[in-house]
Amino acid sequence: QRLKAAVHYTVGCLCQEVGEDKDVQFSKQSIAAISEITFRQCETFARDLEMFARHAKRSTINTEDVKLLARRSSSLLKYITQKSDELASSNMEQKEKKKKKSSAAKGERTGEKEAAVAENEDYNMS
Amino acid sequence: ERRSSSLQHKSALFPCVTGQKQTSSHENWSLSPEEYETWDRLYRIKEGDGIKEPVLPQTRFATLENLEEIPEQEQGAAQELSLWEWSLWQSRPFPTALVGHSEPCHHFIRVMEMMEQMRQEQGDCSYGRELQPHLRVEDVNIPRNKRHLHVANS
C-alpha cells in the first residue's frame, strides 16, 4: 500500500505536468487508473528483467536487460539506449565507487520512466 | 456458404495430413499452384467482396519521436482492427482454447474492472482516498518540475 501510494503520488505529479503541457485535465479516476497500471506494469517488468538476466546466465540485472523491455518499439528502444548511454558516460566521470551505485539505481529509474510513457499510451487509447 | 466450402478445403492447406503426394509439390516456403488457387478463391480479399483489408494499428508515441514507418496512404481503404472498441467487454477473462491468459493479460483485465467501478464516481476518488494515509514523503521526489518536462520533450 505504501508503494502504491508513492506511485500514485508520482503519477499524479507527472499527469499534472502533462496536463499543463497539453492543456488538458486528468480526472482523479484516470490518474488512479494510470497509477494502478503503472504498479502492475512494474510487476511485469520485474519478472521480465529477471528472466532476461537469467537467460544470459546472470543474476544481476543490467542495462541490456532494460533495453530488452523496449524491444518492440524502435523509437522507445532508441530513447532508452540514448538515456543509457548518457548515464553510462556520466557514470564514467564519477569515481569507481560511485559508479557501481548509480548503475544499480539506473535500471529502476529507466524502467519507471518507460512505464510512465507506456501508461500515457494506454490512457490515450481509452 | 463460404464458410462451409472453406471447411471442406481446409485439408488442402495441410498436405502433411492428407498424404505424401501433395507434400512433394510443397517443398518451397511459398504456396504451390494448387494452394494458391485455394487461397485465391476462398480467402483472398478482393475488390468486389465489400470488406476492407484488415490492418493492425501502428505504434505511436505521443511523447517520443516516432521512428516507425509511416502508415500506408490508403488508410480509408483498410479496416483498422480496434483494440478499444469493445472495452466494456474486457473486464472479465475471455475463454481460452489452448493458450491460457498471461499474467499481463490478467493485469489488464483487473485494471479494466477497476476502471469500470470508478466510472460512476464523481469528483473524489476512492483509490486516492484509500492510499492517502500510506504515503510517505521520503518515498517520493517532491521538486520534480523541470526534470520531467525535459524527459517528455527529448
Side-chain angles (χ1 to χ4, degrees):
Chain A
Q1 291 301 79
R2 178 177 165 182
L3 201 53
K4 274 195 181 189
V7 171
H8 188 226
Y9 177 84
T10 308
V11 166
C13 293
L14 287 169
C15 284
Q16 202 177 342
E17 277 171 35
V18 173
E20 280 162 19
D21 203 36
K22 307 267 180 211
D23 213 22
V24 287
Q25 258 207 324
F26 292 85
S27 69
K28 284 187 176 170
Q29 285 74 24
S30 58
I31 292 172
I34 297 171
S35 313
E36 183 67 15
I37 295 166
T38 309
F39 188 79
R40 289 173 180 275
Q41 190 65 35
C42 286
E43 233 172 85
T44 308
F45 283 159
R47 194 183 294 246
D48 285 349
L49 287 169
E50 219 179 315
M51 295 297 244
F52 294 154
R54 206 191 300 169
H55 188 67
K57 300 189 169 59
R58 275 184 277 104
S59 57
T60 309
I61 292 159
N62 68 20
T63 50
E64 293 305 303
D65 302 323
V66 177
K67 285 180 200 167
L68 270 181
L69 288 180
R71 70 196 174 283
R72 290 200 184 90
S73 158
S74 48
S75 325
L76 187 58
L77 185 58
K78 186 186 163 203
Y79 178 78
I80 298 289
T81 308
Q82 262 172 15
K83 285 286 155 206
S84 150
D85 292 347
E86 276 170 35
L87 281 163
S89 58
S90 75
N91 285 345
M92 290 276 258
E93 289 158 20
Q94 288 168 352
K95 283 178 189 171
E96 202 62 25
K97 213 170 105 190
K98 270 194 171 179
K99 193 169 134 192
K100 261 188 183 170
K101 261 188 192 169
S102 56
S103 73
K106 176 173 53 181
E108 275 173 51
R109 244 186 292 142
T110 323
E112 221 176 81
K113 265 184 226 153
E114 196 190 347
V117 171
E119 265 47 275
N120 289 344
E121 284 282 292
D122 284 353
Y123 175 76
N124 289 341
M125 285 204 297
S126 54
Chain B
E1 32 106 27
R2 262 196 160 213
R3 179 163 265 186
S4 62
S5 60
S6 79
L7 273 178
Q8 257 173 36
H9 285 267
K10 207 172 182 179
S11 56
L13 281 183
F14 303 101
C16 46
V17 184
T18 49
Q20 290 288 70
K21 209 179 127 195
Q22 277 154 308
T23 326
S24 55
S25 69
H26 194 252
E27 304 281 75
N28 285 322
W29 58 268
S30 60
L31 297 181
S32 67
E34 303 87 71
E35 285 166 344
Y36 182 87
E37 196 274 327
T38 307
W39 171 69
D40 190 59
R41 190 162 43 87
L42 296 173
Y43 311 124
R44 187 184 195 176
I45 295 172
K46 293 174 192 150
E47 289 284 315
D49 285 346
I51 45 168
K52 294 170 171 180
E53 190 86 29
V55 291
L56 283 167
Q58 299 276 317
T59 314
R60 282 341 253 152
F61 278 96
T63 55
L64 294 179
E65 61 166 321
N66 286 286
L67 301 170
E68 271 77 17
E69 64 270 42
I70 308 122
E72 286 161 49
Q73 313 298 346
E74 35 179 350
Q75 198 63 279
Q79 174 70 57
E80 190 171 85
L81 301 175
S82 172
L83 289 170
W84 52 264
E85 198 179 344
W86 301 102
S87 52
L88 283 176
W89 271 252
Q90 296 184 316
S91 47
R92 63 199 154 75
F94 272 85
T96 58
L98 292 175
V99 181
H101 293 300
S102 64
E103 207 48 50
C105 180
H106 282 300
H107 284 316
F108 174 79
I109 294 162
R110 269 177 250 137
V111 171
M112 292 306 277
E113 207 182 340
M114 167 198 165
M115 289 200 274
E116 194 54 45
Q117 283 158 7
M118 290 194 305
R119 195 184 291 275
Q120 326 298 338
E121 286 181 11
Q122 299 277 330
D124 199 31
C125 163
S126 56
Y127 188 82
R129 220 183 308 125
E130 257 172 58
L131 292 179
Q132 195 64 47
H134 299 282
L135 183 65
R136 299 286 199 307
V137 212
E138 63 267 31
D139 293 342
V140 294
N141 213 349
I142 303 290
R144 41 170 67 211
N145 312 324
K146 286 286 162 196
R147 214 177 62 121
H148 280 277
L149 278 180
H150 170 72
V151 165
N153 288 337
S154 54

